[in-house]
Amino acid sequence: MIWQGWLSLGLVGAVLALLIATRLRPHVVMLTALTVLVTTGVLNASQALAGFANEGLATVAAMFVVAGGIQASGGAELIVQRLLGRPASTRGAMLRLFAPVALLSAFLNNTPIVATMIPAVNSWSRRIGVAPSKLMIPLSYAAILGGTLTLVGTSTNLVVNGQYRSLTGSEGFSLFAITAVGLPVALAGAAFMWLFFARWLPEQRDDAPFANLREFTLEVAVAVGGPLAGKTVEQARLRHLVRVYLAEVEREGRIISPVGPEEMLCGGDRLVFAGDTDAIADLLRINGIEPSTQAAGLQPSQNPTERRLVEVVVSPHCAAVGQAIRDAQFRDRYGAAVLAVARNGERVRGNLGSTELTAGDTLLLEAGPDFVTRQRHSRDFLLVNDLATEPPRHHRLYLAWFILLAVVVAAGTGLTSMLNAALIGALLMLLTGCCSLEQAERSLDMGVLLTIGASFALGAALEQSGAALVLAQGLITLGGDRPWLLLMLTYFTVSLLTEVITNNAAAILMLPIALSITASAGLDPTPFVLAIMMAASASFATPLGYQTNLMVYGPGGYRFTDFLRVGVPMNLFIGAVTLGVLLLGWPLEAGAA
C-alpha cells in the first residue's frame, strides 16, 4: 500500500480519536481532515470538495427546508397529538415512537422522516417529561431498522441492487426480497432498545437559560371562532401541560380560579398561565391560542409571520422602569409587546398590564425580527435572548403535509429524482407560505451539512489510495473455504467500513469482491448481497456511519461516546440476528448456486 493509503488510515484513526476524546464539533474535525488531505496532495481540490456538490448532500439540505415547512405550519404537533400520545415511561415512549417511524421508513426516505420528527420528538419529550437524549438515538435507529424492511427503504439497498444487476446481468431483487431478513431484525432491534436503552442513554435536558430560576406569567386569549372555543379545559389539552399551568381564566371581568378540567372555554377568554420560557413558547404554538392584547393595552404585530419571542432583562437605565406596562408604550418605543414577566425568579401576580416594571425584571416580548439587532446596542436591556419562535402557520398545515407527501410519492414512483423532488418541495414550501425565508434558513443545520460534505473526502481518500480495498480483501481472505465464515466476514467488514466511510461507498466497494468470492467458490450470492445491504444500512456505532445519526447528534446533546455506548452493542446484536436469519434461510454449501 502506498504512503497515501497509510496516511488516510492514520487520518481516520485521528478523526475517531478526536471525536471520542474531545468535545470538538464533528464538522470542525472533518473539515480539518479534509484540509490535511488537500495540503498533503492525497486529494486534489476537486476530489476533496466533491462531497459538497454531491446529490445526496443537496437532497438532505432541501429536505431540511421541507421539514422546516412542516414544523412552521404546526405539523410536528399534529404528529405528537395523533400518533405519539402520552406514554407513562421512557420505555413506553420508545415503543410509541418505533412503530410509526419504522413503518414510514420502510417506504419513504429516512432523511425527511427523521428531519420532520426531530422537532416533533423534541417538543413531545418536554410534554411527557422525558429527556430528548432518551429518544433521539432511538428515533434514528428506528428509521434505520425500518429502512431494511423493503428494497426502497434506503438508497443503499437501491444502489446495491442496481450494481448487482449490472455485474451479474440478472433481474435483481424484488421490493420485498429483503423483508424476510429485515422484519425479524427490526423486531429484534426494537426489543433490544426497549430493554436496554432507557438505562444506557444519557439524561441530557436542554433547558433554556435560567429556566429553573424563574417562573413567567403569561396572558393569552382564546381565539374567537377558533378550534378551542366551546371545548373544556381538558378537551383543549390545557390541563396536563408540562412546566406550565393554567392559573386563572378571566371572562367578562369575572375571574375563575382555580380552573377545573370541565370549565368550558369561550372565544375571547383571557387565560393566565404560569411557567418557564420553553413551556410558554410551546403554549403559543397551540392552534386557537393567541396573544392577549388586553393586558398591556397594546396591539401585537398584525402580520403573524413577523412575530417572534424575545427574552430580555430590564436595565436600571431603561426608560420604562417605574411605569405600568400598559403605560410604557412598548410598541411605539421598542416595537414590541410584553407577553410575560418574571421577578426574582417568581411569577408576578395580578393584572399584567398594571404591573410596574423594576430593574432586573425578566420580560418575554413579542417583537419584530430586527428587535434583537437594535437592542444589542441599547442600554435599556441587560440581556437579549432571541428564542427564534414564530407562531405556527396552522392555516398551511395540511398544505405542508400534502407537499411532503407529493415529494415522497414523486421520488418513490420514479416520476423524478429524489433531488428534484426535494428541491421542488422546498421551493413550494416557500412560495405557498408554509414557512418564511428566515425559518427555511434556520432549518438548515449547517453543522450536519458540513460534516456530511467533508466525510466524502475521507471516504474518497480511503478508496483512491487503495487502503479500503486492501483492508476489505485482507479480512475476507481469512474466511478460506468456510462459507459461514465468509458470510460473517463480509457482513462485519461492510459494517466496519460503514462506520468510517459512507454506507453507499462501503457497499459498492464490497459487492464486487463478494461476488467474485461466491463465484469462485460456487456459492449462492443471494445471502451475501443481502448481508451487504443489511450491514451497510444497519449502522449504529458512530454518528458518522449514517446520516440520520448525524442529524440527531446535536438535538440530542450527545457526545461521541454516547453512540459507542449504545451503538456497539446494537451493531453486534443486529449483526448476530441478521447472520442467524441468513444462515437459517439460505444454504451456503458449495454448489448451492
Side-chain angles (χ1 to χ4, degrees):
M1 187 165 55
I2 58 178
W3 68 268
Q4 288 91 339
W6 290 111
L7 177 61
S8 299
L9 287 177
L11 200 57
V12 169
V15 165
L16 293 177
L18 286 172
L19 291 173
I20 292 172
T22 72
R23 288 186 175 272
L24 289 174
R25 302 290 294 276
H27 68 275
V28 174
V29 176
M30 296 304 298
L31 287 173
T32 302
L34 182 150
T35 303
V36 172
L37 291 172
V38 173
T39 55
T40 57
V42 176
L43 297 176
N44 59 39
S46 298
Q47 294 169 330
L49 299 176
F52 295 99
N54 182 269
E55 181 176 328
L57 180 64
T59 302
V60 171
M63 289 309 303
F64 273 136
V65 177
V66 173
I70 296 293
Q71 171 69 2
S73 62
E77 284 75 13
L78 181 67
I79 295 176
V80 171
Q81 293 175 8
R82 301 289 176 84
L83 296 179
L84 301 182
R86 299 190 65 89
S89 65
T90 301
R91 283 192 171 92
M94 288 182 186
L95 205 58
R96 293 280 188 96
L97 184 64
F98 183 86
V101 172
L103 185 60
L104 288 171
S105 295
F107 299 98
L108 310 179
N109 187 279
N110 291 346
T111 301
I113 293 172
V114 173
T116 301
M117 289 296 293
I118 283 174
V121 171
N122 194 41
S123 175
W124 180 53
S125 66
R126 290 201 301 268
R127 295 182 190 180
I128 62 177
V130 176
S133 58
K134 294 288 188 181
L135 299 176
M136 288 297 175
I137 281 180
L139 167 63
S140 176
Y141 288 7
I144 290 172
L145 291 172
T148 65
L149 294 176
T150 68
L151 194 68
V152 298
T154 70
S155 61
T156 304
N157 293 349
L158 294 172
V159 168
V160 171
N161 186 53
Q163 190 185 26
Y164 177 72
R165 292 174 60 183
S166 175
L167 293 174
T168 63
S170 67
E171 296 183 357
F173 295 89
S174 65
L175 178 64
F176 296 104
I178 196 175
T179 307
V181 182
L183 183 58
V185 168
L187 293 175
F192 187 85
M193 288 193 290
W194 184 81
L195 284 172
F196 300 110
F197 277 24
R199 288 187 289 109
W200 289 355
L201 287 171
E203 184 90 7
Q204 300 283 359
R205 296 187 180 271
D206 187 20
D207 291 330
F210 312 118
N212 297 323
L213 302 180
R214 71 195 179 296
E215 190 178 72
F216 277 115
T217 298
L218 173 70
E219 295 182 10
V220 295
V222 177
V224 177
L228 299 188
K231 289 186 177 181
T232 66
V233 171
E234 185 79 32
Q235 292 170 339
R237 301 177 182 269
L238 301 179
R239 178 68 176 171
H240 301 293
L241 298 172
V242 178
R243 289 157 47 191
V244 64
Y245 66 92
L246 180 57
E248 66 182 39
V249 175
E250 180 181 333
R251 180 180 303 141
E252 298 178 350
R254 182 170 61 95
I255 301 296
I256 303 171
S257 181
V259 183
E262 301 304 319
E263 182 67 39
M264 190 74 69
L265 298 175
C266 301
D269 281 355
R270 186 177 68 91
L271 310 181
V272 179
F273 286 88
D276 66 32
T277 307
D278 277 354
I280 287 175
D282 287 341
L283 181 67
L284 291 174
R285 295 184 63 85
I286 297 176
N287 191 12
I289 292 291
E290 59 185 17
S292 172
T293 59
Q294 175 185 350
L298 297 168
Q299 286 293 331
S301 172
Q302 296 301 311
N303 184 359
T305 65
E306 295 179 358
R307 299 203 305 254
R308 69 196 312 155
L309 293 184
V310 180
E311 186 180 354
V312 302
V313 174
V314 178
S315 162
H317 305 288
C318 181
V321 170
Q323 298 182 14
I325 290 176
R326 66 162 53 92
D327 299 328
Q329 299 180 337
F330 263 79
R331 174 61 62 192
D332 295 333
R333 185 177 289 168
Y334 304 113
V338 180
L339 298 182
V341 59
R343 179 174 296 160
N344 299 325
E346 299 178 354
R347 72 185 183 94
V348 178
R349 302 183 183 277
N351 187 280
L352 182 62
S354 61
T355 300
E356 289 190 3
L357 292 176
T358 64
D361 284 352
T362 305
L363 307 180
L364 194 65
L365 306 178
E366 180 202 70
D370 59 342
F371 177 86
V372 173
T373 302
R374 287 189 285 108
Q375 292 306 316
R376 279 176 180 158
H377 306 288
S378 169
R379 299 180 64 194
D380 287 330
F381 304 111
L382 297 176
L383 169 81
V384 177
N385 179 28
D386 183 4
L387 300 178
T389 303
E390 299 175 18
R393 306 174 179 212
H394 291 293
H395 60 293
R396 292 287 188 265
L397 172 61
Y398 293 105
L399 176 59
W401 275 110
F402 176 78
I403 292 173
L404 175 60
L405 180 62
V407 168
V408 172
V409 171
T413 58
L415 183 63
T416 186
S417 68
M418 188 66 205
L419 174 60
N420 290 341
L423 290 173
I424 293 172
L427 183 61
L428 287 175
M429 287 291 185
L430 291 169
L431 293 179
T432 59
C434 293
C435 68
S436 66
L437 183 60
E438 187 177 18
Q439 287 171 321
E441 290 174 351
R442 287 202 303 267
S443 69
L444 294 173
D445 191 328
M446 295 308 299
V448 170
L449 297 177
L450 288 173
T451 303
I452 293 174
S455 68
F456 280 98
L458 195 57
L462 287 174
E463 290 183 53
Q464 295 184 25
S465 66
L469 184 60
V470 170
L471 178 64
Q473 289 177 330
L475 290 174
I476 287 183
T477 52
L478 294 176
D481 58 355
R482 291 162 289 187
W484 61 269
L485 185 55
L486 281 173
L487 183 65
M488 291 179 61
L489 287 172
T490 298
Y491 182 94
F492 285 111
T493 300
V494 176
S495 181
L496 177 64
L497 288 175
T498 298
E499 299 297 347
V500 293
I501 63 176
T502 65
N503 51 346
N504 285 338
I508 292 172
L509 179 68
M510 285 301 304
L511 184 61
I513 300 172
L515 291 178
S516 176
I517 291 174
T518 56
S520 61
L523 303 175
D524 181 5
T526 300
F528 288 84
V529 178
L530 294 178
I532 290 173
M533 288 184 181
M534 294 295 297
S537 297
S539 175
F540 309 103
T542 73
L544 301 178
Y546 206 86
Q547 64 189 28
T548 59
N549 288 347
L550 274 174
M551 292 168 69
V552 301
Y553 195 3
Y558 297 118
R559 297 190 63 181
F560 194 88
T561 50
D562 295 326
F563 275 89
L564 293 178
R565 185 183 304 112
V566 299
V568 171
M570 186 76 169
N571 260 12
L572 295 174
F573 176 75
I574 293 299
V577 174
T578 301
L579 291 171
V581 172
L582 288 172
L583 290 171
L584 290 174
W586 282 269
L588 294 179
E589 293 83 3

